[in-house]
Amino acid sequence: MGSKTRKIKPLQSRDCNNCNAGAKLSPRNTGHTVIEFEEVSYGYSGTGPLLSDINLKLAPGSFHFLTGPSGAGKTTLIKLCYGALVPTQGRVTLFDQDVRQMTRDDVAHTRRKIGVVHQDVQFLDHLPVHENVALPLTVSGKTTEVSDLSDLMEWVGLTGQMEALPPALSGGERQRAALARAVIMSPDVILADEPTGNVDWDMSQRLLKLLIELNRMGKTVLIATHDMNLIRAAKAQVQARVLRISDHRVQLAGADL
Amino acid sequence: MRRRFSSLVSRDTQADRVVPPTGFTARLTVFASGAMAFLAVFALALSLATGRLADQWSDALAQSATIRVSAPDGQVDQQVLTVMEVLQTTPGIKDARVLTDSEQRDLLEPWFGPDLPIETLPVPRLIEVIEEGEGYDPEGLRQRLAGEAPGAILDDHARWREPLVRAADRLRGLGVVSILLITLTMAAMITLAANAALAANAQVIHVLRLVGARDRYIAGAFVRRFTLRAFSGAAFGVIAGVLAILFLPSADVGGGFLTGLGFRGWHWILPLAIPPLAGLVAFLATRHAANTTLRELT
């Protein structure tokens, strides 16, 4: 690892003057939306459309939940949000770039601005946790020292597990390590797909708190979950909108959630 | 291309660490490239030896001819004189001389022993002819000999030389084809090993793409690893092959072609080209396999 590095402090806000959840500009992105869906449909080969005519705009700094029954297409929509899938119809725009027009390098570069946390989070099991967390920096040619990660690891409560290998982590620790990895590049958007699916209530509250803190720093957050209690808990702390996938379409859920 | 090759081959500790060590494909690649390099050394030696042989046979026999004079008793000496006169007036002949009894005895000694009474036997007289420049016209000389010395038969060695040179050339060609086949086989084996490694590391690739790694970065990690393995395996193979050639029986007159199998002079440098060639083959094969696999992934 190189020597010209700086301390990584994910909790530092970047020019966030208005830290209430909702639409506000991220310093990196001056457009109106970071992710936009226009008449988007997607279907896997051999089946009918899973998602149909989706129109969606995620403003910078907004906080959204995405809910719906299992198999409704939450994970598919999340994958469309970071260019892992290309819509079969319609247009997905990430940071003002049409996904269909992006080269593979463009997609890779865009993913550095989007942190993703999956329910079944995957790591490189042969590398210690701190190297896994620093992976986005490594692949983008930046170097880090273990000491540079101390603040970030403290933030997610994994200071004692920095040298551990991922298989030794509990479910909650894996999720927090994934969150640390997702935010290490200080991305503009955090996408979390059932981040609390494998953890207990206390741990899910802890993860939620971290995601809310990120949103208060100006990050756009989209969490796919079917945990209504988590959504209620979040709405008590942050101005979040709830999107529901129903009949292949995305609808704005009622305010009583 | 050269910049890309050097950037991929130059050591990147961080990038190399993202791909876990894979024992099976590592051993397979090193063994395959080592074995192929070992065979390539022999194919190279065969090709060079046959090339030398073809040149030797061609040079040794091309500038000389033999005239055999067979005639009834009492006419041999006269016909020999006639043949010598004909040869002196034939353009393209530098020298001609009649072999002495002693020289003829030496030629026959391997078959009849040292005490052959050659003077009492009806052995044909032999005349050695040395050509110069573009040589003589063999057909014209044959016709003149048939007219003036009917017992004289010209042997210009063509019927011996041509099939030998043709066979040596064909052997040399087979050596080159062998090297080509070895190269292609090594490329195929490394492609298979690289594909196996890529398939075994599908999760690693998925994670790397998720965190924003570009295809070149991911491919580079695999390409570097396989290129270095192929290079090191080939280096071992070349060392083993060269040692084996060194310990072949030394060339001597009785050994003939088999003991001539080896390298001479600056040809000893040629095996040094095999490890870089193996590295280049591995580089191209792995890059192709990695790019194909990555294109198939989202």
Side-chain angles (χ1 to χ4, degrees):
Chain A
M1 292 190 179
S3 56
K4 289 188 176 178
T5 55
R6 57 180 166 69
K7 207 87 165 176
I8 296 162
K9 295 182 177 177
L11 295 177
Q12 277 186 340
S13 174
R14 292 180 314 177
D15 304 336
C16 181
N17 297 321
N18 176 7
C19 288
N20 292 324
K24 53 183 171 286
L25 295 179
S26 164
R28 253 191 237 174
N29 184 57
T30 54
H32 296 295
T33 59
V34 285
I35 297 174
E36 184 171 0
F37 284 40
E38 293 174 72
E39 304 292 331
V40 168
S41 297
Y42 187 85
Y44 292 96
S45 59
T47 63
L50 181 63
L51 299 171
S52 184
D53 297 328
I54 308 283
N55 287 291
L56 179 66
K57 287 183 179 180
L58 296 185
S62 61
F63 195 117
H64 285 85
F65 281 102
L66 179 66
T67 187
S70 295
K74 296 190 295 293
T75 299
T76 299
L77 192 141
I78 291 280
K79 285 183 174 177
L80 287 164
C81 284
Y82 66 90
L85 296 175
V86 177
T88 45
Q89 279 181 31
R91 192 165 80 146
V92 172
T93 308
L94 306 179
F95 301 100
D96 300 324
Q97 264 193 297
D98 186 345
V99 166
R100 222 183 285 278
Q101 308 297 325
M102 285 182 176
T103 64
R104 290 177 66 80
D105 279 355
D106 289 338
V107 171
H109 193 257
T110 300
R111 284 182 188 174
R112 295 175 190 176
K113 295 190 279 187
I114 301 175
V116 184
V117 181
H118 281 291
Q119 178 181 2
D120 298 318
V121 59
Q122 291 181 327
F123 293 106
L124 304 186
D125 288 343
H126 63 289
L127 296 181
V129 169
H130 71 84
E131 286 195 48
N132 269 285
V133 168
L135 203 55
L137 291 172
T138 306
V139 301
S140 58
K142 296 169 184 167
T143 54
T144 51
E145 299 288 349
V146 177
S147 58
D148 298 325
L149 300 174
S150 56
D151 284 353
L152 178 62
M153 298 304 276
E154 189 182 339
W155 178 64
V156 293
L158 289 175
T159 306
Q161 280 80 23
M162 285 175 77
E163 296 295 337
L165 291 176
L169 299 182
S170 68
E173 288 169 340
R174 289 175 72 85
Q175 289 296 343
R176 282 181 280 144
L179 189 57
R181 186 178 70 186
V183 303
I184 197 167
M185 292 286 281
S186 195
D188 295 307
V189 179
I190 308 291
L191 303 173
D193 186 11
E194 300 281 8
T196 59
N198 288 333
V199 297
D200 59 27
W201 175 249
D202 286 343
M203 184 55 67
S204 68
Q205 289 303 296
R206 195 168 170 183
L207 283 166
L208 179 63
K209 185 168 171 268
L210 295 174
L211 288 164
I212 290 172
E213 284 180 34
L214 287 167
N215 178 249
R216 286 178 176 155
M217 291 162 51
K219 314 293 183 191
T220 305
V221 177
L222 174 63
I223 304 173
T225 183
H226 58 261
D227 185 346
M228 293 300 144
N229 290 327
L230 183 76
I231 297 173
R232 288 192 190 96
K235 287 187 69 114
Q237 303 172 60
V238 69
Q239 187 181 337
R241 304 183 84 178
V242 181
L243 307 169
R244 185 197 300 277
I245 300 180
S246 178
D247 294 330
H248 314 296
R249 294 168 191 274
V250 171
Q251 301 162 346
L252 195 61
D256 57 334
L257 278 169
Chain B
M1 176 74 181
R2 195 174 62 182
R3 188 177 60 83
R4 188 170 292 181
F5 179 77
S6 63
S7 72
L8 282 169
V9 173
S10 62
R11 189 143 180 83
D12 182 340
T13 312
Q14 280 296 330
D16 288 349
R17 278 175 57 76
V18 301
V19 179
T22 47
F24 168 69
T25 54
R27 285 194 293 274
L28 177 65
T29 309
V30 173
F31 173 76
S33 61
M36 292 297 132
F38 185 81
L39 294 176
V41 170
F42 279 92
L44 189 62
L46 172 76
S47 187
L48 291 170
T50 49
R52 280 196 305 271
L53 200 63
D55 292 342
Q56 281 169 10
W57 286 343
S58 188
D59 291 345
L61 299 175
Q63 295 295 309
S64 68
T66 306
I67 293 174
R68 187 174 74 246
V69 182
S70 301
D73 282 348
Q75 295 182 25
V76 174
D77 290 342
Q78 181 57 45
Q79 289 209 20
V80 167
L81 281 174
T82 308
V83 169
M84 293 301 286
E85 285 170 7
V86 168
L87 292 174
Q88 283 168 6
T89 57
T90 303
I93 290 178
K94 181 183 178 185
D95 189 25
R97 69 180 187 88
V98 182
L99 265 60
T100 63
D101 287 348
S102 170
E103 286 173 322
Q104 293 208 182
R105 188 179 293 109
D106 289 344
L107 287 173
L108 295 171
E109 187 181 315
W111 287 273
F112 297 105
D115 302 323
L116 181 69
I118 198 164
E119 302 80 8
T120 61
L121 293 174
V123 176
R125 302 298 304 190
L126 298 178
I127 301 170
E128 184 186 25
V129 180
I130 306 297
E131 299 175 27
E132 67 178 359
E134 295 296 311
Y136 60 91
D137 171 17
E139 205 46 48
L141 182 57
R142 277 196 186 92
Q143 286 177 7
R144 284 187 66 192
L145 291 173
E148 300 182 32
I153 297 170
L154 171 67
D155 179 0
D156 61 0
H157 301 161
R159 66 190 171 119
W160 303 105
R161 189 177 69 230
E162 284 173 6
L164 285 173
V165 171
R166 206 164 46 239
D169 282 342
R170 199 156 293 176
L171 271 173
R172 180 162 47 184
L174 285 174
V176 173
V177 170
S178 300
I179 292 170
L180 193 64
L181 285 174
I182 287 167
T183 306
L184 292 175
T185 305
M186 187 164 74
M189 294 187 78
I190 289 173
T191 302
L192 285 174
N195 277 329
L198 288 160
N201 287 295
Q203 183 190 329
V204 171
I205 294 170
H206 173 75
V207 170
L208 290 173
R209 284 198 57 76
L210 186 69
V211 299
R214 295 196 297 176
D215 285 355
R216 190 186 301 177
Y217 180 91
I218 301 170
F222 286 92
V223 168
R224 258 190 307 279
R225 185 165 291 191
F226 277 85
T227 301
L228 292 174
R229 282 174 189 166
F231 180 85
S232 55
F236 284 121
V238 165
I239 290 169
V242 168
L243 286 176
I245 295 272
L246 268 176
F247 287 110
L248 277 176
S250 59
D252 57 31
V253 177
F257 170 70
L258 284 177
T259 53
L261 183 66
F263 301 106
R264 303 272 168 79
W266 67 271
H267 285 170
W268 283 102
I269 299 171
L270 289 178
L272 296 178
I274 293 174
L277 180 68
L280 182 65
V281 168
F283 168 80
L284 294 173
T286 313
R287 193 179 66 160
H288 175 71
N291 287 340
T292 304
T293 302
L294 290 169
R295 267 198 303 272
E296 289 167 358
L297 298 172
T298 53

